[in-house]
Amino acid sequence: MSKALKLGVAGLGTVGIDALKLIALHGERFASRTGCAVEIGGVSARNRRKNREIDISSYEWFDDPVALAESQDIDVFVELIGGEDGVAKASVEAALRAGKHVVTANKALLAHHGIELARLADAKGVALSFEAAVAGGIPAIKTIRESLLANNITRVYGILNGTCNYILTQMQKEGRAFDEVLQEAQDAGYAEADPTFDIGGYDTAHKLAILTTLAFGVETSIDTVYVEGIESISLADIEAADDLGYRIKLLGVALLTESGIEQRVHPTMVPKNTAIAEVDGVTNCVAFDGNFVGDILLIGPGAGGGPTASAVISDVLDIAKGRISPPFAWRTEDLKPYERARMRSHEGGYYIRLKVFDRTGAFAAIAGRMAEHGISLESIVQRRPAAALPGLDARGDDGAPLPVVMITHETTEAAIRAALKAIEDEGNVQERPRMIRIEKL
Ligand code: HSE
């Protein structure tokens, strides 16, 4: 057997501790699977004395993760600190410059600086691996980098944030309020330190930007991702979607179009009879449309210590086997500049919810504005007012506005935005129209 592969683990939160546990538990198996033992050459975290689930006193301790990254006693630097800049970036750069392999779960770092780090890794002939950065335990990165390598991928999309999916699932299944459910996801340790990264869609955007580079061979472009979070999704939308045969999911979608690549994160209506609609709770999924393989959907745990540690160690074991792939599946020097398709040219169906004043001609005017913008309606449903009291009829004869839900046939984002602005300006609706995109599956 060759000499042991020594890891420096920086960041001892849930994932770091589970990674150490995994090595302690399965170390012998790793040696027989890779021909190389895996050992810990040092650890680093913010607080040495914190009460942890396991005893770390036998590992060499480093107060400074950069010193660990440069230590002679390690071959692989495992970065589990998090954050797009600061000490995470400094220590990863230090490790690569020192010729160490790097394994990281840091999606924000990769989305913002992945290409420059990949260039550094290439220059040193070392690995930069990040299976854990996207969808936790789901082998999404290896699927593109290995199993689907022969294909041209035309779309990659998925439910990439467990916290949002948990919130939407609880709202839909239990009729519970947004804030209460968010607190639960935070208590369970799924949410980011700042949960606005989850609910605002930014965490999904980071993961999507990484997938885009892997799938399409273009430079990572986080700043051009169109992002809408789930903050404005109401129980009224969830109920209306249900009645119309849809579920609402926060999707990240990267799509190859004739005018460039669309990268978008937004609440999305998916038909109830699709597998993705059944992906509930903190579970994630990642889907690929490949020109030869067809459509692939991977479903599994997207967050949490065990699944994320499993992905981290799978990268370590690749290195133990001597398998070093280009970080983003294409030779870094071959990555093309990102060509952005404008959101205004996005094509698809739309769900629209309006609160229409009960006036003669209001419906006709709304239908007229849609027609003027070339938008054809698949269905239009007048829903009972959400706050209707028993005995009140479906028209809401207390003078309250009438909730109306429309589903459009395929149209463009530019047309829908213009039509909704015209409807709002005309004054027949009580509040700004709600719009949710429908993804073709
Ligand atoms: N906050 C993330 C989520 C953790 O909820 O999915 C995994 O990246």
Side-chain angles (χ1 to χ4, degrees):
M1 187 184 294
S2 54
K3 80 174 181 70
L5 187 75
K6 296 221 170 179
L7 313 187
V9 180
L12 297 178
T14 337
V15 179
I17 291 298
D18 274 7
L20 294 179
K21 279 201 235 167
L22 188 45
I23 291 165
L25 201 63
H26 293 172
E28 282 183 26
R29 185 180 313 170
F30 295 163
S32 58
R33 285 192 162 176
T34 66
C36 178
V38 174
E39 292 173 5
I40 304 300
V43 296
S44 176
R46 257 205 302 251
N47 179 359
R48 185 173 191 171
R49 269 163 279 283
K50 183 177 166 187
N51 201 7
R52 295 188 166 88
E53 259 181 80
I54 58 167
D55 178 13
I56 57 163
S57 60
S58 61
Y59 303 130
E60 192 178 348
W61 176 267
F62 290 74
D63 282 326
D64 178 7
V66 173
L68 173 61
E70 293 169 338
S71 164
Q72 297 295 324
D73 293 336
I74 71 157
D75 306 297
V76 183
F77 181 63
V78 180
E79 186 272 306
L80 303 172
I81 302 167
E84 73 179 76
D85 284 304
V87 76
K89 179 165 182 265
S91 57
V92 165
E93 284 172 345
L96 294 172
R97 283 202 191 97
K100 318 284 183 189
H101 303 288
V102 168
V103 173
T104 175
N106 190 335
K107 55 237 167 169
L109 175 71
L110 292 159
H112 287 274
H113 308 292
I115 303 300
E116 65 189 78
L117 295 174
R119 289 196 184 110
L120 199 49
D122 291 350
K124 292 289 182 177
V126 293
L128 170 64
S129 306
F130 43 85
E131 183 58 69
V134 176
I138 301 178
I141 309 281
K142 285 181 206 281
T143 298
I144 305 182
R145 208 154 65 174
E146 296 166 21
S147 316
L148 301 183
L149 208 54
N151 288 264
N152 284 342
I153 294 175
T154 50
R155 179 172 63 165
V156 52
Y157 62 101
I159 296 171
L160 303 174
N161 184 273
T163 301
C164 287
N165 206 43
Y166 180 75
I167 293 172
L168 292 173
T169 304
Q170 284 291 315
M171 287 173 77
Q172 184 253 313
K173 287 202 182 323
E174 313 287 340
R176 295 174 62 203
F178 189 103
D179 292 342
E180 177 190 326
V181 190
L182 169 61
Q183 185 60 52
E184 252 177 46
Q186 284 179 280
D187 295 345
Y190 294 119
E192 298 299 299
D194 174 356
T196 54
F197 271 86
D198 296 295
I199 59 179
Y202 307 108
D203 177 71
T204 300
H206 288 148
K207 295 164 180 169
L208 182 70
I210 296 168
L211 289 175
T212 300
T213 292
L214 285 150
F216 304 127
V218 292
E219 289 176 0
T220 310
S221 178
I222 182 67
D223 295 334
T224 58
V225 182
Y226 174 83
V227 184
E228 256 179 52
I230 62 165
E231 306 92 326
S232 57
I233 297 294
S234 64
L235 281 172
D237 292 318
I238 287 178
E239 284 165 14
D242 191 37
D243 286 354
L244 292 161
Y246 291 92
R247 294 273 180 259
I248 301 176
K249 299 288 182 187
L250 183 75
L251 292 194
V253 183
L255 175 73
L256 206 52
T257 75
E258 280 171 12
S259 59
I261 296 170
E262 269 181 21
Q263 284 190 109
R264 47 192 166 85
V265 173
H266 49 74
T268 310
M269 309 266 287
V270 295
K272 270 199 240 179
N273 62 359
T274 54
I276 201 163
E278 302 278 325
V279 176
D280 281 340
V282 293
T283 304
N284 281 195
C285 68
V286 187
F288 309 96
D289 300 348
N291 63 337
F292 270 68
V293 71
D295 300 346
I296 301 272
L297 179 67
L298 306 177
I299 301 175
T308 312
S310 156
V312 166
I313 299 302
S314 79
D315 281 339
V316 168
L317 298 184
D318 272 349
I319 296 168
K321 284 190 218 166
R323 285 173 55 170
I324 298 178
S325 313
F328 285 97
W330 310 65
R331 286 190 311 188
T332 311
E333 68 262 33
D334 291 346
L335 293 174
K336 296 187 285 292
Y338 177 81
E339 262 185 64
R340 174 191 192 180
R342 298 268 153 193
M343 198 57 199
R344 293 179 63 78
S345 59
H346 166 69
E347 292 176 5
Y350 290 80
Y351 153 101
I352 291 153
R353 183 166 60 81
L354 305 168
K355 282 193 180 169
V356 182
F357 290 120
D358 191 4
R359 294 179 189 139
T360 307
F363 281 105
I366 288 166
R369 298 297 83 78
M370 298 299 263
E372 272 164 26
H373 290 88
I375 300 167
S376 137
L377 298 177
E378 182 185 296
S379 64
I380 176 160
V381 181
Q382 182 189 316
R383 290 176 54 77
R384 195 178 169 77
L389 297 169
L392 197 69
D393 75 16
R395 290 182 60 250
D397 270 354
D398 57 353
L402 306 171
V404 171
V405 171
M406 298 186 283
I407 300 284
T408 75
H409 284 294
E410 195 156 301
T411 181
T412 65
E413 180 94 3
I416 212 84
R417 284 192 197 175
L420 294 186
K421 172 141 191 351
I423 289 169
E424 194 182 350
D425 289 351
E426 207 165 28
N428 285 319
V429 290
Q430 185 193 37
E431 59 184 27
R432 170 166 285 190
R434 279 289 305 141
M435 174 265 271
I436 303 178
R437 297 169 189 85
I438 300 172
E439 190 70 19
K440 211 192 285 177
L441 298 177

